[in-house]
Each structure stands twice: as structure tokens, then as C-alpha cells.
Amino acid sequence: MTTVETAVGQAKTMVLNMGPQHPSTHGVLRILLELDGETVVKAVPDCGYLHTGIEKSCEDKTYSQAITLTDRMDYLNPLGNNLVYCMAVEKLLDLQVPKRAQYIRVMMVELQRISSHLVWLGTHAIDLGAMSVFLYCFREREEILKIFEMFAGQRMMTSYIRIGGVALQPPAGWRERLEKFLKYMPSRVDEYETLLTKNRIWMGRTKGIGYISAEDALALSMTGPTIRAAGIPYDNRKLFPYSSYDEFDFDIPTRTDSDCFGRYMIRVAEMRESLKIVRQAMDKITDEGAIKSDAPGIVPPQREKMKTEMEALIYHFKIFTEGFSPPAGEAFVTVESPRGELGCFIASDGSPKPLRCHFRAPSYINLQALPKLVEGQLISDVIACIGTIDIVLGEVDR
Amino acid sequence: MSEPTSSVERLRAWNANAVAEVIEYRGETTVVVPRELLRATAARCRDDAATKFNLLTDATCLDRHPYEPRFEVVYQLVCISRREKLRLRVKLYGNDPVVDSLVPVWPGANWLEREIFDLFGIRFTGHPDLRRIVLPDDWEGYPLRRDYPVEGYRDLPEMPLGFTKRSI
């Protein structure tokens, strides 16, 4: 049991247990709130209800087997999790990925960012009482999930990004489908803004709520839209470009108001930027070309080759029975997930299974700033603050 | 003598003892720091105007059991303005897994170190709130240690219909 030390005298304050089963915590998060009337005096988040030991499981699996586990951490950003894990393994192996596969990765991850922000916007709006936005957001998210299904055969846990490239060639007719989506999506983003941005209730519930200064945000290791709303343009796609992001033309939206409204505006702007990136990636992806690097022993051989070539059959057998062994060493790779800096630290001891596989989960690290955001605010603002940090409990607890 | 340029050289110029070992691998720089000097080195990395590693992005631990020193606590630092990353590392023996906490330097180390304490059993001296974070408070053992079985230590309750009781 977690106990709270009361900050002020016993007589005036009461302790309220919010969660773990509370619809506005988007999962199972418990927060102990010490209240003085309706004002929060102290907040203590308590997580761990979804801990599944993914990092321990990774140590017991070969490098390629663990990809499916990464999907299940941040379930709104499975492709981003695949990407960071695969990039870390590729760095350990010093493996180059073909340009075409890199562009496909960028396109998929940016679509995933839009879909994640749509879920965030819909659920955040419903928390604050704007019911209809949720329905509109999920309408567009559905289309993105259908595009994922087209590419990978799965809507959510796609495991589409693999070590050395991506799993499958783009399907027939993907350009037309995506073209249609890119055509109507900008006007749909405008539609959400007409419902919310100048809405008096929305502004009343978000403006000036959950302020955090840039210094505090940096000291608390916050990343993602939360730190960009505080005025620090920290984005891995620009600062440490990966997967050919340096060839794309896009902006990093920043603001200085650093409240719930600012973080909302940042995420809406990011959706527009992501649409720009998807469009550019679509133009860069050629109709023909390799989607996997040529690395026998690491990337599984093509089916046709296995039927005609002895070597390919041997490699296939070796990969799926024993796995491959990267040289002893370690790699830390970071990407920009919709929630912030997503990192993967893998240490290898030269065996087919990792010695250690650690994920730097942005939700987890951003969540520790929650007390800073809510202390001194009203209890109803706690919900707005949890919403704008955009936590996914599957990733917090791993 | 010219002004030292790289971050590692600057650290060495500040205190030669702070840099016990430098590992360069796949373009990443790791500085192995003696245990007593960890907090001072971290504060120096943050405060030195020329290096200015102002963001602690991640902290984790790895266990090299059965080799000693088995634990390696790893801190990942980022300098946003110069786009540079640096990794600090402390090696700890299994019979004495204690190290200074970095919460006084970066408040963001709080939950990161709690997670390491929870899963590896490393004690951070000077940590304001060293409790378990993802596991229940009464959990026995530290699951991410290499000598902790993947299946855990628990026994299943008696199974019906002829299933045998076994350790899962």
C-alpha cells in the first residue's frame, strides 16, 4: 500500500483515491490526491498495474522473436515501437537498410502518429465533455487502420517493420487508397479545430491549466509535445535524424504557453506536418525495389530462393532455430514517438539472445511530472492534465 | 596547451580520475565513471558551459551475472543545443549494489532510479522516495537480475482434472 504524508494539517485535507479503474486515466493508473476542498494539495501517481515484464521476456527470446512483444507496449504506436527496436538491433549488427524500406518505414510511422494523435484528441475531448469530436476522430482513424491492414494484414499489432527492412512489399492499389486519404484529411483536421479551438468551454477547460516551465520540463526529462509546448524544439526527427528523416521537409511546431491548450495546438499542428511527410514519402517510394537488406543469416531468404538454393534453405533453418548473434556491444537508439522520445537500449554478449533490452518509455517519464502539473489546480483539471500528457499505460508499465 | 574540444577530453581535464575508461562503439561514447565520482561528474556534465548535457534521457542497468562486477548502471545524457549524446556508466559489485542517486542533479532521475531499484535491487543513496514502482511492495526478489528465472518463483495452486502442480 502506498501511503501519503499529508502536506498540510490533518483536519483540513482529505485523501481521495482516483483509479485504478477510472475512465479518464486511459488504462489502470491510480493517483492519490490530497484535497483541500476542491484544490489538489498533493498528487502521488501509482503505476504498475499493467506490468507484464516485457523486458525480461525479451531476454528469453531471439532478436527477431521479440518484435511482436514491442507491438504490445505502446498499443497506439506499435509501428514506432517496432522501428526503434529494429533500429537498435540493426545498429548492433551494423546493418544498412535499403532507402525504399526507409521511406516505407517513415510513411507508416507518420500515419501511426496521426492515428495516435486522433485517439488522443478524441478521448481527451470526451474527458472534457466534447462528445462528438470522438466520433469524428475515430472515423478517420479507422481509415488509417484499414491502410495498415492493407500493408501488413493486421490493423493494430502489425509487426510490419522487421530487422533489415519491412515485412512485405506495398500491396496493389496502395497509392490510390492513400491519395484519397491525403486528399480529405487536411479538411478533417480543420473540422476538429472548428469544433474545439475557439470553443469557449474548451478554452475554459484548457487555457492556463497544467502549466509547467521549460526549465522544470527539461529537469524532469519530459519530451515530446509537452516539451515543445514549453518552447524547446526537441524532436529526434530533426536533432538526430534517423531512417532518412533529413531528406524530408517539415517543421517542428513549438509554442510558449505550455498549458493544456498549447499541447493540444501542438498535436493538431503535428498532424498537419505528418500529412506533409506522408505525402513526400509517398512520392519517394518507387514502384519497384528492395524492401529488405541483403544480409543472409539475418534477414530470412525469399521463399522462391529456398526452393532452388541450398544456401538459402540453410540460412532459413539457422535463423528460425538458433537466431543470429550480434557482436558483443551495446546500442542506444531513440526515435520520436507521438508521446515523446522513445528509446531502445540493447546490450549483446555475443549470444543469439540479448543480454539486456530496455525501452525508454516516454509516457512513463512524462508521467512523473504529473504532480508538478496538477498541484494547486482544481480536481477537475487533473483529468485535463492526465489527458495532455498522453499516457499509454501499456507503455508506462511494460 | 589548447582548449580540449571533445566532451570526454573536457571531463578528463576537469578531473582525470573521473574518466576510468572510454568505450567507443558504433558511434556512441561511453564513459566509465568510478562510483564515488558519479554525482560530481554528472553535475559537471550538466553545468560545464561547453558540454551542457542538460537532458537526462534514460537510465537503466544491466546485469552481467555470473561475472563481477556484475551490475552496470547506465545514464544517457543529451545536449540539445550541440546535438550530442553521452553515456555514463558505473560498475557495481553484486555484494554492494549501492550508488549515489542523481535526483539532486536531474529530478527526472527519480522514477528511472526507482525502476532500477525495483527490478535490479540497486540502492541509490540520497534518493528522496526509493520505493518499488511497477511491482507490488511485498514482491520478493528482483526480476531483471539474470539469476531470477523467467518463469518466476511462484507455485500454481492445485490444478483440477489431473493437471499436475508444477512451478510455472
Side-chain angles (χ1 to χ4, degrees):
Chain A
M1 269 301 289
T2 312
T3 48
V4 183
E5 287 170 30
T6 42
V8 261
Q10 287 281 346
K12 270 185 77 187
T13 61
M14 67 174 278
V15 175
L16 183 77
N17 193 22
M18 180 176 166
Q21 306 294 344
H22 189 285
S24 293
T25 56
H26 304 279
V28 274
L29 169 70
R30 174 166 164 253
I31 305 167
L32 287 150
L33 296 169
E34 190 191 340
L35 301 172
D36 178 8
E38 271 197 80
T39 311
V40 178
V41 182
K42 192 174 176 187
V44 180
D46 178 17
C47 57
Y49 292 89
L50 272 181
H51 181 61
T52 46
I54 283 179
E55 291 177 5
K56 184 78 176 174
S57 305
C58 285
E59 290 174 15
D60 196 43
K61 296 196 183 305
T62 63
Y63 285 92
S64 15
Q65 281 173 337
I67 296 177
T68 47
L69 288 176
T70 62
D71 279 319
R72 282 146 183 86
M73 289 190 313
D74 180 352
Y75 42 78
L76 295 182
N77 181 34
L79 281 156
N81 299 343
N82 290 166
L83 178 68
V84 72
Y85 176 76
C86 291
M87 276 174 43
V89 179
E90 283 154 10
K91 193 167 188 182
L92 270 180
L93 292 162
D94 205 10
L95 188 68
Q96 301 303 317
V97 178
K99 276 279 175 199
R100 183 158 180 261
Q102 293 189 12
Y103 299 144
I104 297 177
R105 284 177 171 190
V106 168
M107 186 178 80
M108 299 299 272
V109 171
E110 291 303 322
L111 281 172
Q112 186 83 76
R113 188 184 314 277
I114 300 171
S115 109
S116 170
H117 281 348
L118 284 173
V119 175
W120 167 79
L121 182 61
T123 51
H124 183 47
I126 215 168
D127 285 347
L128 299 186
M131 177 85 189
S132 46
V133 183
F134 177 80
L135 302 169
Y136 293 124
C137 287
F138 269 59
R139 180 183 62 189
E140 274 75 67
R141 176 185 181 246
E142 196 58 31
E143 182 57 29
I144 296 180
L145 293 185
K146 279 181 186 157
I147 292 171
F148 288 160
E149 191 179 12
M150 212 176 161
F151 271 82
Q154 285 264 45
R155 284 155 51 84
M156 288 180 73
M157 305 302 156
T158 52
S159 296
Y160 181 65
I161 295 173
R162 301 284 170 87
I163 296 160
V166 294
L168 298 163
Q169 285 282 359
W174 69 276
R175 274 182 206 277
E176 292 72 37
R177 186 88 187 237
L178 202 57
E179 189 68 51
K180 219 174 109 194
F181 172 76
L182 289 178
K183 212 165 201 166
Y184 69 66
M185 191 59 200
S187 65
R188 298 284 164 88
V189 182
D190 297 339
E191 199 177 320
Y192 313 139
E193 282 220 73
T194 52
L195 285 167
L196 293 174
T197 305
K198 293 202 172 134
N199 183 327
R200 280 186 63 189
I201 306 171
W202 181 258
M203 291 202 291
R205 290 295 305 271
T206 55
K207 276 203 169 165
I209 308 292
Y211 174 79
I212 186 162
S213 68
E215 293 76 39
D216 284 344
L218 198 61
L220 283 165
S221 306
M222 290 180 100
T223 47
T226 22
I227 202 167
R228 291 195 284 274
I232 299 173
Y234 182 63
D235 189 314
N236 276 282
R237 292 173 294 172
K238 278 273 190 233
L239 253 63
F240 305 103
Y242 52 91
S243 199
S244 298
Y245 263 111
D246 44 349
E247 295 171 24
F248 291 85
D249 172 34
F250 62 101
D251 297 321
I252 303 298
T254 51
R255 286 175 74 89
T256 47
D257 39 6
S258 193
D259 55 2
C260 291
F261 186 77
R263 295 190 273 270
Y264 153 74
M265 290 301 281
I266 291 275
R267 289 199 175 93
V268 171
E270 272 183 14
M271 277 200 257
R272 296 184 202 279
E273 293 300 321
S274 291
L275 284 170
K276 267 165 62 182
I277 302 174
V278 173
R279 162 73 66 191
Q280 293 170 39
M282 204 172 120
D283 296 338
K284 281 179 194 283
I285 297 168
T286 49
D287 283 328
E288 299 285 321
I291 51 159
K292 287 172 184 167
S293 43
D294 179 22
I298 293 163
V299 176
Q302 288 173 357
R303 205 80 206 162
E304 295 73 41
K305 277 194 176 169
M306 277 167 55
K307 291 172 184 163
T308 52
E309 291 173 24
M310 185 68 183
E311 294 288 314
L313 193 64
I314 294 171
Y315 281 132
H316 182 268
F317 182 75
K318 291 269 278 184
I319 292 169
F320 287 99
T321 50
E322 184 192 321
F324 50 82
S325 311
E330 55 207 43
F332 181 63
V333 171
T334 53
V335 303
E336 194 68 24
S337 99
R339 270 151 282 284
E341 180 174 277
L342 174 65
C344 181
F345 174 79
I346 298 186
S348 161
D349 55 357
S351 72
K353 291 172 182 175
L355 174 73
R356 174 87 171 103
C357 179
H358 169 77
F359 290 94
R360 187 239 188 245
S363 317
Y364 176 73
I365 293 161
N366 289 351
L367 181 62
Q368 70 174 330
L370 184 71
K372 199 101 195 166
L373 294 182
V374 300
E375 279 166 11
Q377 309 263 349
L378 296 179
I379 186 167
S380 60
D381 299 333
V382 174
I383 303 210
C385 290
I386 298 172
T388 48
I389 298 178
D390 191 14
I391 47 167
V392 168
L393 265 299
E395 186 185 55
V396 171
D397 297 338
R398 281 158 289 146
Chain B
M1 201 179 115
S2 65
E3 188 74 2
T5 43
S6 81
S7 309
V8 179
E9 286 310 312
R10 278 198 71 87
L11 267 185
R12 202 173 268 145
W14 165 71
N15 185 347
N17 295 330
V19 185
E21 193 186 341
V22 180
I23 305 164
E24 293 273 352
Y25 188 70
R26 301 269 190 260
E28 296 175 7
T29 310
T30 308
V31 176
V32 182
V33 181
R35 183 167 77 166
E36 321 64 70
L37 284 171
L38 174 70
R39 194 183 287 168
T41 311
R44 171 73 184 175
C45 286
R46 184 196 60 181
D47 297 333
D48 185 359
T51 51
K52 215 171 141 196
F53 287 99
N54 43 9
L55 177 68
L56 170 75
T57 170
D58 194 14
T60 188
C61 180
L62 53 102
D63 181 4
R64 293 200 186 272
H65 180 76
Y67 303 105
E68 289 284 353
R70 63 184 282 193
F71 296 116
E72 294 182 2
V73 182
V74 178
Y75 292 91
Q76 317 275 1
L77 315 182
V78 176
C79 169
I80 296 178
S81 48
R82 287 184 308 112
R83 304 185 179 195
E84 194 183 321
K85 293 186 184 184
L86 185 71
R87 189 182 299 149
L88 297 184
R89 153 171 317 204
V90 181
K91 294 185 175 176
L92 303 173
Y93 284 89
N95 57 5
D96 184 26
V98 182
V99 68
D100 279 343
S101 164
L102 288 193
V103 178
V105 186
W106 286 286
N110 190 330
W111 280 27
L112 291 165
E113 291 182 342
R114 271 178 76 185
E115 190 189 359
I116 298 172
F117 164 72
D118 192 356
L119 301 172
F120 284 95
I122 311 283
R123 264 76 174 171
F124 293 93
T125 45
H127 191 288
D129 184 27
L130 200 62
R131 290 180 289 125
R132 284 196 181 268
I133 186 158
V134 288
L135 296 177
D137 287 352
D138 56 355
W139 193 272
E140 282 175 24
Y142 302 103
L144 276 180
R145 289 189 176 188
R146 294 290 280 186
D147 47 0
Y148 190 98
V150 179
E151 304 83 15
Y153 287 121
R154 292 172 304 140
D155 274 345
L156 271 184
E158 203 63 56
M159 299 295 273
L161 297 170
F163 287 101
T164 50
K165 183 180 171 182
R166 61 188 177 90
S167 172
I168 53 163

